[in-house]
Amino acid sequence: MRKMFLFLVFLGASGTVFSQGGVSFQKVKEFYINGDTRVIGNSILSDHPTRVNNKPKSLNDRTEMQYVDIDGDSDTFSSSSANLDLPADAKIVYAGLYWAATYPGAEGKQKVRNDRMVYDIKKKRDRAFDLVRLKLPGSAAYTEVQGELVYDGVLDPNTDLKNAAPYVCYSDITDLLTSKKAGSGTYTLANVTALEGIMFGGSSAGWMLYLVYEQPEAPLQYMANYQGFRYISLNEPEELRFSNFRVPETGEVKASLTLAALEGDLMLAKDAVFVYGEKNKEYVPLKTQVRYANNFFNSSITFDDRKYLARNPASNNTLGFDLAKLQIPNANNSLIDNDATGVTLRFKTEEDRLFVFFTAFQTEISSDFYQRVVLEGKEDRLPAQDELEPTPETPELVAYEKDGTSEDEVATDTQPKKTENRDPALQDMLSAASIKVEGQPEGYYVVNHVFSNAKNASKWARKMENLGFAPKNFVNQANGYHYIYIDFSQDPDALYGRLQGYRKMEDLEKAWILKVNLD
């Protein structure tokens, strides 16, 4: 059994604010482990406290919302449960609890005024929303869980978000579950706060528990989970790139996603999730038998091609709360090819607004990558190139520390040089003079910004981190400028292939290849 390594990135309540509103996705934790993940959850608002809602045409903005409350406990005002099923030999190594809701006030009303439909918040916020109660399997009592604020729409400059006032809270409850030896069984979450009644756009609320577990016989996988709050508004797509891994060199590439969102109405279509296919250079929409390419977020809780109903209440229509775990369809490795080192995800809506607050990615990884990069802390290099000819050693681009902290880095490779049939744009970049930077390994760098001011360079680097990269920088002593780069290789052709993908992302449209220490 391979040893498990845990990488942790701290996330505070303040994130980068984008024009769409919200806070950017940031990585919370990542693992290289023989194991798998599980997710469970449930909604916390419906049209009745205990009855299921299976009405296919119910919309949250046309429903008089009430708290779901199934526990019969007078000390709680809202509660719902979900069942977890783990393998017998699974060992939980991480458990992240999230709850999210729209909460501009305690109660909303809809009425007609001067022949117009108007919405009033009759009661302002009257409860703290960062403290919930969790009941573990086999326990008769609740345990209080204090959450960290990931996002609060009241503080957002975007008017839509300020009016809807969605929030997201998070708590790492790994120690709680392991100390109580919690595993399979029923988990109940109580006192999730939301708006009851009706509000403009509709009220929605729910919770989820995301777990990573170790299992000796499971495949070696890379897993990373991200949290934030992205307001996916009309015609303004959002992208997130996963990196810091390399998939196996041969065979079928298997990868999956876990997603959670508010406001994905069942009857409002034209919302979608895409994966960028490197082979065909196009974005391909995800779909299952219970989620459609043009209506992916459809007020449901699903695992692959089935609805997850091992919960109480087991509503088919969760009225604006979505939770999904699904395999990325990859027949013939059409989307993620062997030796891939990154995957790009895109969210888009054309009809209904959408609030995405959680994303997790996992994939089986190359044992060579695990040994070379994770265990030995070396630069990634494809095994095939090791056999062709030895290449000069370069400083490590993956900063691995045994205490469990890490800085992400885009993996690099070394390929034999190609000189024929080069793209003229690449040839132009290669015809430019190389710069000299003491201490930098010779090679080719994807640079996407240059600054004369160190503080501005640091700000830009943080922005790149929010896009899923691990930017580095160097200073050109000849002019004092700070160069921010996101990728490196000694093979310009391989690097140019990746550059074309980067240029499809926001803020990377003008990235270029810079030669360093090559003349």
Side-chain angles (χ1 to χ4, degrees):
M1 180 181 68
R2 295 180 176 88
K3 185 177 179 183
M4 177 194 71
F5 289 85
L6 163 66
F7 293 68
L8 169 65
V9 180
F10 175 77
L11 175 63
S14 61
T16 303
V17 177
F18 285 68
S19 60
Q20 297 98 313
V23 293
S24 59
F25 278 117
Q26 295 188 34
K27 189 181 297 179
V28 183
K29 293 193 178 183
E30 63 180 359
F31 298 83
Y32 301 91
I33 185 176
N34 292 87
D36 207 340
T37 65
R38 288 285 190 274
V39 64
I40 61 172
N42 210 344
S43 57
I44 209 72
L45 287 175
S46 190
D47 59 354
H48 190 274
T50 57
R51 288 201 304 259
V52 299
N53 186 320
N54 292 333
K55 302 171 185 176
K57 295 186 178 181
S58 290
L59 296 175
N60 65 330
D61 58 353
R62 298 177 188 172
T63 301
E64 189 83 24
M65 290 294 194
Q66 301 179 49
Y67 280 123
V68 171
D69 196 8
I70 54 94
D71 64 1
D73 188 334
S74 60
D75 290 335
T76 66
F77 57 85
S78 70
S79 60
S80 63
S81 66
N83 294 347
L84 173 68
D85 183 19
L86 289 175
D89 57 347
K91 177 185 176 183
I92 295 174
V93 295
Y94 170 69
L97 179 67
Y98 290 85
W99 58 100
T102 47
Y103 187 43
E107 183 182 359
K109 292 291 184 182
Q110 179 188 65
K111 57 185 177 181
V112 177
R113 180 185 300 159
N114 297 327
D115 296 325
R116 294 178 56 199
M117 188 69 71
V118 295
Y119 299 83
D120 288 336
I121 305 300
K122 304 301 291 185
K123 296 180 181 178
K124 301 302 181 183
R125 288 182 169 184
D126 59 359
R127 289 189 175 107
F129 53 80
D130 60 348
L131 185 65
V132 293
R133 305 179 74 183
L134 177 65
K135 187 183 295 184
L136 301 176
S139 175
Y142 281 106
T143 299
E144 283 197 342
V145 176
Q146 177 66 56
E148 301 174 13
L149 181 64
V150 176
Y151 173 76
D152 184 2
V154 166
L155 307 176
D156 201 297
N158 183 292
T159 302
D160 289 343
L161 292 174
K162 189 182 293 291
N163 291 338
Y167 72 85
V168 181
C169 287
Y170 159 74
S171 181
D172 182 338
I173 59 170
T174 309
D175 290 344
L176 173 62
L177 266 59
T178 54
S179 65
K180 299 291 186 181
K181 295 182 170 52
S184 298
T186 301
Y187 289 74
T188 305
L189 193 69
N191 289 358
V192 175
T193 305
L195 178 136
E196 291 188 284
I198 296 182
M199 60 178 277
F200 179 76
S203 189
S204 55
W207 61 274
M208 59 168 285
L209 175 61
Y210 175 79
L211 298 109
V212 176
Y213 64 85
E214 185 178 20
Q215 188 182 22
E217 301 306 317
L220 176 63
Q221 296 202 66
Y222 168 80
M223 307 163 188
N225 61 297
Y226 293 71
Q227 66 185 26
F229 189 92
R230 300 309 302 135
Y231 176 21
I232 315 300
S233 55
L234 303 185
N235 299 312
E236 290 189 80
E238 177 80 15
E239 292 191 349
L240 178 62
R241 182 167 176 82
F242 308 105
S243 59
N244 213 24
F245 63 88
R246 176 158 58 83
V247 303
E249 297 86 344
T250 61
E252 180 185 5
V253 176
K254 298 178 181 179
S256 66
L257 293 167
T258 301
L259 305 167
L262 297 176
E263 280 296 295
D265 280 305
L266 174 62
M267 297 299 294
L268 297 179
K270 297 184 180 180
D271 52 71
V273 182
F274 300 84
V275 172
Y276 183 69
E278 299 288 346
K279 279 187 177 179
N280 298 323
K281 307 298 182 185
E282 64 179 2
Y283 285 91
V284 177
L286 296 179
K287 61 181 179 179
T288 70
Q289 293 181 16
V290 287
R291 293 186 181 274
Y292 308 110
N294 68 340
N295 190 16
F296 186 89
F297 294 99
N298 60 6
S299 290
S300 64
I301 300 177
T302 63
F303 297 162
D304 289 318
D305 290 324
R306 61 185 177 87
K307 291 198 173 184
Y308 166 66
L309 299 176
R311 48 192 174 86
N312 186 13
S315 297
N316 282 303
N317 186 346
T318 50
L319 292 169
F321 176 68
D322 270 280
L323 179 59
K325 183 178 181 182
L326 68 156
Q327 292 290 318
I328 296 175
N330 196 37
N332 301 317
N333 294 347
S334 58
L335 290 181
I336 308 172
D337 206 356
N338 296 119
D339 280 321
T341 58
V343 173
T344 300
L345 198 65
R346 172 180 283 183
F347 302 96
K348 185 177 181 181
T349 184
E350 296 180 4
E351 188 167 298
D352 189 21
R353 65 182 183 180
L354 182 65
F355 305 149
V356 182
F357 65 87
F358 179 89
T359 303
F361 173 81
Q362 68 185 80
T363 183
E364 295 182 16
I365 60 171
S366 160
S367 57
D368 174 75
F369 174 91
Y370 179 80
Q371 178 65 37
R372 182 178 180 84
V373 178
V374 180
L375 294 183
E376 299 177 9
K378 295 180 179 178
E379 175 191 348
D380 188 22
R381 185 170 61 210
L382 301 183
Q385 279 69 61
D386 291 341
E387 298 171 4
L388 289 171
E389 58 179 347
T391 56
E393 289 295 323
T394 58
E396 299 166 5
L397 291 182
V398 177
Y400 166 77
E401 299 178 11
K402 291 184 179 179
D403 65 1
T405 59
S406 169
E407 178 180 342
D408 295 332
E409 182 60 47
V410 177
T412 65
D413 59 345
T414 306
Q415 302 273 0
K417 281 191 175 183
K418 305 172 186 176
T419 56
E420 298 179 358
N421 301 319
R422 267 190 179 140
D423 188 313
L426 171 60
Q427 198 60 51
D428 286 345
M429 286 184 275
L430 298 184
S431 64
S434 174
I435 67 171
K436 292 183 178 181
V437 181
E438 185 177 352
Q440 282 297 121
E442 63 181 41
Y444 304 87
Y445 293 73
V446 171
V447 175
N448 73 327
H449 226 307
V450 179
F451 295 90
S452 61
N453 182 282
K455 185 176 294 186
N456 291 337
S458 296
K459 288 181 180 179
W460 186 261
R462 287 196 295 272
K463 188 172 185 178
M464 291 300 97
E465 289 173 355
N466 291 333
L467 290 177
F469 292 101
K472 289 183 177 295
N473 72 84
F474 57 77
V475 178
N476 184 353
Q477 298 300 326
N479 55 24
Y481 288 164
H482 299 257
Y483 290 71
I484 304 297
Y485 69 94
I486 59 173
D487 203 348
F488 164 84
S489 179
Q490 291 179 331
D491 174 19
D493 298 279
L495 191 63
Y496 183 66
R498 298 200 290 271
L499 173 65
Q500 289 176 305
Y502 300 148
R503 282 178 163 178
K504 297 178 184 295
M505 302 176 67
E506 184 179 1
D507 296 319
L508 294 174
E509 298 92 340
K510 297 183 179 180
W512 73 96
I513 292 176
L514 176 71
K515 297 192 301 184
V516 175
N517 296 332
L518 288 175
D519 291 344

